[in-house]
Amino acid sequence: IIPEVNPNGLVSVDMGEPRLEAAEVPTTLAATGESEDHPGAVVLQELEVGGEMEAVPDAEEMFAPYEERMEKNIARRTQGKLKERWLVTCVSMGNPHAVTFGRPGEETLGGVLDVDNLDVDYYGPLFEKHATFPEKINAHFCRALYDSPESLDDLTDAVKVVHWERGAGKTLACGTGACSVVVAGVLEGRLKDKCLVYVPGGPLQIEWRRSKDNHVIMTGPAQLVYKGLIPV
C-alpha cells in the first residue's frame, strides 16, 4: 500500500480491485445474476439468520390452544428465536465482506435500516459466524442517504454504515469495509461510484474507478495518534 498525500492534506490509498465471484469472497451463497457486468457476483442474495421460528404463524398455529399461541408470541419477541431474512451483497477486498441495506420487502430509497439504533452486538455475530461464510465475514449494516429522492432509480453519493469485524466485533471504522460498501451499493443500484461513507470514526471518501482500472481508492484524514519506543 502506497499512500498519497493530497494538496488538501487528506491521504489517498489504492485499495486494489474488488473480487466479486462467490468462491473468491469466499461464500457458499449462490450468484444472483443481478449485475450484468458481474454475473458471478452475489448481489442482493437472501441470507437467513437467527432461530428456526417463522415470523408469521402458519394456519396450524393460529388454531392452537391459547397458552401455546401466547408462548410462541413471546418467543417471537425474544432475540435468537426468530428466523430473519436479510439481503446481502458479498465483496472481497482481500478479506471477506457482507454488506446489507436491510431485509426483503424494505426496498424503499436507501432501505429503511435504522443503523443508529440497530443492535449490532446481536446481529454482528449472526452474520460473522454464519455457515455460508467458511472464513467468517465482516458485516456492514448500511443506509443510503438522499437529499431529495424522487425515485427508486436515483443514485446517491452518501451512505451511513456501522461495522462488525470478524474477530474484533463492533469497530469505529473499517477501511476495506467502507470500500466494500460502495462497491456493493453500486452493484445494487443505490450508490454512485464516488461516495462519502459516514462511519462512527468519521467520514471516508471512497471511489470505485470502474471505467479506469477497476481499483478502489480510499481517501481520508490522517493524524498522529501516539508515539512510543520499543526496546529490542
Side-chain angles (χ1 to χ4, degrees), residues 92-184:
S92 173
M93 291 299 304
N95 54 348
H97 300 274
V99 177
T100 181
F101 286 81
R103 304 171 180 86
E106 297 180 346
E107 291 306 289
T108 57
L109 282 163
V112 296
L113 193 57
D114 184 2
V115 295
D116 292 317
N117 297 301
L118 184 71
D119 190 352
V120 181
D121 291 316
Y122 169 67
Y123 288 109
L126 295 181
F127 277 67
E128 177 190 355
K129 301 173 184 178
H130 199 282
T132 57
F133 305 119
E135 296 181 8
K136 297 187 178 180
I137 203 78
N138 300 291
H140 312 287
F141 303 90
C142 314
R143 181 164 188 157
L145 305 175
Y146 295 81
D147 290 330
S148 55
E150 296 180 358
S151 78
L152 287 172
D153 295 324
D154 283 354
L155 300 180
T156 184
D157 59 0
V159 58
K160 194 169 189 178
V161 184
V162 289
H163 301 294
W164 180 273
E165 297 191 57
R166 59 176 181 171
K170 187 165 54 179
T171 57
L172 295 177
C174 176
T176 55
C179 295
S180 71
V181 165
V182 172
V183 171

Side-chain angles (χ1 to χ4, degrees), residues 47 71 87 129 176 182 207 212 218 232:
L47 179 74
E71 181 180 348
L87 293 175
K129 301 173 184 178
T176 55
V182 172
E207 180 181 8
K212 184 179 179 181
M218 178 176 67
V232 294

Side-chain angles (χ1 to χ4, degrees), residues 37-130:
D37 295 331
H38 304 279
V42 179
V43 180
L44 291 171
Q45 180 61 279
E46 194 170 283
L47 179 74
E48 290 185 354
V49 302
E52 295 301 319
M53 182 171 286
E54 294 287 351
V56 180
D58 58 24
E60 182 178 346
E61 181 183 335
M62 292 179 69
F63 291 98
Y66 175 81
E67 292 78 7
E68 182 180 333
R69 284 187 282 122
M70 290 303 99
E71 181 180 348
K72 290 193 174 182
N73 279 337
I74 292 171
R76 278 193 177 84
R77 298 188 182 99
T78 304
Q79 288 183 331
K81 297 285 187 180
L82 187 65
K83 180 190 296 182
E84 297 186 51
R85 295 175 175 86
W86 293 73
L87 293 175
V88 299
T89 295
C90 298
V91 179
S92 173
M93 291 299 304
N95 54 348
H97 300 274
V99 177
T100 181
F101 286 81
R103 304 171 180 86
E106 297 180 346
E107 291 306 289
T108 57
L109 282 163
V112 296
L113 193 57
D114 184 2
V115 295
D116 292 317
N117 297 301
L118 184 71
D119 190 352
V120 181
D121 291 316
Y122 169 67
Y123 288 109
L126 295 181
F127 277 67
E128 177 190 355
K129 301 173 184 178
H130 199 282

Side-chain angles (χ1 to χ4, degrees), residues 20-21 33-41 187 208 210:
L20 302 173
E21 297 288 325
E34 288 283 340
S35 171
E36 292 183 3
D37 295 331
H38 304 279
L187 293 175
W208 184 14
R210 291 189 294 164

